[in-house]
Amino acid sequence: MLGCFLLGQAAFAGLALAQEDPLASWNEGPAKSAILEFVAETTDPDSQGYVAPDERIAVFDNDGTLWSEKPLYFQVLFAIERLQEMAGDHPERTETQPFKAALKRDWEAVAASGGKGLMKLLAATQTGMSDRTFTAEVQDWLDTARHPRFDRPFTELVFQPMLDVLEYLRANGFRTWIVSGGGIDFMRAWTEEAYGVPPEQVIGTQVDLDYVSDTKAPAFERKSGTFFFTDGANKPIGIQRHVGRRPVIAFGNSDGDLEMLEWTTTGEGPRLGVLIHHTDAEREWAYDRESDIGRLDKGLAEGPDRGWIIVDMADDWAQVYPWQSAP
Amino acid sequence: MLGCFLLGQAAFAGLALAQEDPLASWNEGPAKSAILEFVAETTDPDSQGYVAPDERIAVFDNDGTLWSEKPLYFQVLFAIERLQEMAGDHPERTETQPFKAALKRDWEAVAASGGKGLMKLLAATQTGMSDRTFTAEVQDWLDTARHPRFDRPFTELVFQPMLDVLEYLRANGFRTWIVSGGGIDFMRAWTEEAYGVPPEQVIGTQVDLDYVSDTKAPAFERKSGTFFFTDGANKPIGIQRHVGRRPVIAFGNSDGDLEMLEWTTTGEGPRLGVLIHHTDAEREWAYDRESDIGRLDKGLAEGPDRGWIIVDMADDWAQVYPWQSAP
Ligand SMILES: [Ca+2]
Ligand SMILES: [Ca+2]
């Protein structure tokens, strides 16, 4: 009942906002219009494109889509800090990559080490402990760490336009899911507070887990093997495993999101696929085809023909971060 | 908004029922009292044991807990029917177990082939096709197949007392999840209609999936490898992966549920662990320590000391199936 009461309030707030502007942080333009029109069409019971509430599933990539990802995915920056703390126990790491670069905080060299290098950093620093210890370490880091460029907590580098989209969709009966290559347990430590996305709606990369049976205090142990890496074709597979329904909306920002957008937008009826193009070096970053982090190449080439909206961050977003001046 | 409206209706229906008896299919006794008292305590904001709505997670095994599982898990009976249809293409199967026994519908021999035998039957009949084809085959089978003892569709062999529990819990703000060794896609084809449990709240055994990319009609292909087998310690691991919260209520019926009950009932605050003991050969079946299917041995020995409720089906259930005379 309380949940329903709160949902009712959110819906009411949504209606109130609609009379103002539910996407106030977006500039007028084709991207904003496409989102508003899609929601109007799918939630109007008299529209041909009406989508029943149960089927209102919206999926979002996280890094580069809901928050920034430069100079490196923030979970990797967390790994690098853990690596500094653990350095005394692992003198051999000063000699081998990607640890050597990470210990020097040489972000470009770490990024260039590719997926395999990043996975090594994560395995070395974020496994071999209980899930409870890990979550506490994530929370400690979020409380104390600051972003190297903006000198703010990482959770302040979320995108205001995407917060507006999440809230607007939920006010219209959509359930908002995260589908990210980032670690599921890393994200769950903060997505509810940052985005309003509860743990059961977070899909992400999973390490092997052991259940440590105990009649008083059982626990989960994080193992170094990767159980499931949620990128590329594994994004729709992760959606199928967790949601079991085909989404009608997908937001991403890199070529790792193309299968998720394809699976979402090739279904019947109205579908919305959106790619965030990072074009704003001043307020955020500008990168695409050549970037080791968040590379967007094929998506830019094929997206428009496939009916996907390409958001030009510099043009389409009136505001980037919540603490930057509102429009 | 519609979801909220319906939720409101369900909650209202729950209140109305509470004045009658939300568990009318249960006989008075310690099991029924324990469930009613647990819900009263955890939903009363003034109680010390109050549980916030977000944390009201209840998990249920399926085979033998929400519906029957004799003479064999119903998904295996489905596999055996598929096997008959495919027999012409696989003459070699008449010579090798467990196929030979399955083709003769020798259920005891199939049950005795153990977990490995059953997995072979499932791999041989329920993989190598798209997920869509598979779901259609499950639905066809449900529409036409009849249970060998009761001559009714399998979905009529659900337990009325458990339907009452599911509805009662949801009316009180609990989210009801299934956590079963059965196949996740097999269950999702019918759990919403049979139990009111939507696809995203079903956790079960998963086969490997391939995503078949296509600009017009992408699909998932079911592969013969087992990605995740949700029994024993993998039940709490599955809960952790999908829900990311610790349940406060768990219902099971076999030793494969012990880790799930342990994980649930060793958390802080009020916890409810329940094992269904099949003691009613007349209305359903009577089996426990010696059964190849749904063996309950350790649970009977240790359950009471661990504070778990053992439901005696013959004594505690006034009604078993929905079509049997109501109490
Ligand atoms: Ca991304
Ligand atoms: Ca069972």
Side-chain angles (χ1 to χ4, degrees), chain B residues 4-20:
Chain B
C4 184
F5 177 70
L6 292 175
L7 175 60
Q9 281 201 319
F12 183 76
L15 289 176
L17 277 173
Q19 288 157 12
E20 302 165 15

Side-chain angles (χ1 to χ4, degrees), chain B residues 79-193:
Chain B
I80 291 175
E81 293 316 302
R82 288 270 308 138
L83 203 68
Q84 314 289 338
E85 293 163 20
M86 299 165 77
D89 300 334
H90 296 277
E92 78 286 2
R93 286 181 181 163
T94 56
E95 301 302 323
T96 52
Q97 295 294 11
F99 302 109
K100 192 174 165 182
L103 284 167
K104 291 186 191 158
R105 296 193 176 88
D106 179 349
W107 296 314
E108 277 187 39
V110 173
S113 75
K116 277 194 187 168
L118 302 186
M119 294 304 267
K120 272 188 200 169
L121 285 173
L122 298 179
T125 56
Q126 304 183 12
T127 63
M129 63 194 75
S130 76
D131 69 313
R132 202 171 301 190
T133 299
F134 176 68
T135 298
E137 286 180 359
V138 175
Q139 282 162 344
D140 274 357
W141 174 76
L142 287 175
D143 287 344
T144 56
R146 294 295 177 267
H147 187 276
R149 173 173 166 193
F150 293 106
D151 194 29
R152 288 179 174 264
F154 287 91
T155 44
E156 292 187 14
L157 272 71
V158 298
F159 301 136
Q160 184 62 46
M162 296 308 298
L163 297 181
D164 286 357
V165 166
L166 290 167
E167 188 179 329
Y168 174 55
L169 290 177
R170 289 194 293 257
N172 281 282
F174 287 84
R175 274 162 296 159
T176 51
W177 289 70
I178 290 172
V179 183
S180 169
I184 191 167
D185 299 312
F186 173 77
M187 293 188 286
R188 281 171 169 171
W190 52 273
T191 56
E192 188 150 30
E193 198 176 327

Side-chain angles (χ1 to χ4, degrees), chain A residues 61-65 69 235 253-254 257:
Chain A
D61 167 62
N62 181 43
D63 297 307
T65 298
E69 59 185 350
K235 288 202 170 196
N253 79 302
S254 81
D257 297 313

Side-chain angles (χ1 to χ4, degrees), chain A residues 67-88:
Chain A
W67 73 352
S68 292
E69 59 185 350
K70 291 278 185 176
L72 274 175
Y73 304 121
F74 296 172
Q75 186 175 1
V76 178
L77 293 179
F78 167 50
I80 292 175
E81 292 315 303
R82 288 271 306 141
L83 203 68
Q84 313 290 337
E85 292 163 21
M86 297 164 78

Side-chain angles (χ1 to χ4, degrees), chain B residues 39-62:
Chain B
V39 171
E41 181 186 9
T42 53
T43 57
D44 173 2
D46 296 327
S47 146
Q48 236 196 332
Y50 178 72
V51 173
D54 278 355
E55 300 296 331
R56 291 185 201 160
I57 305 290
V59 291
F60 297 83
D61 168 61
N62 181 44

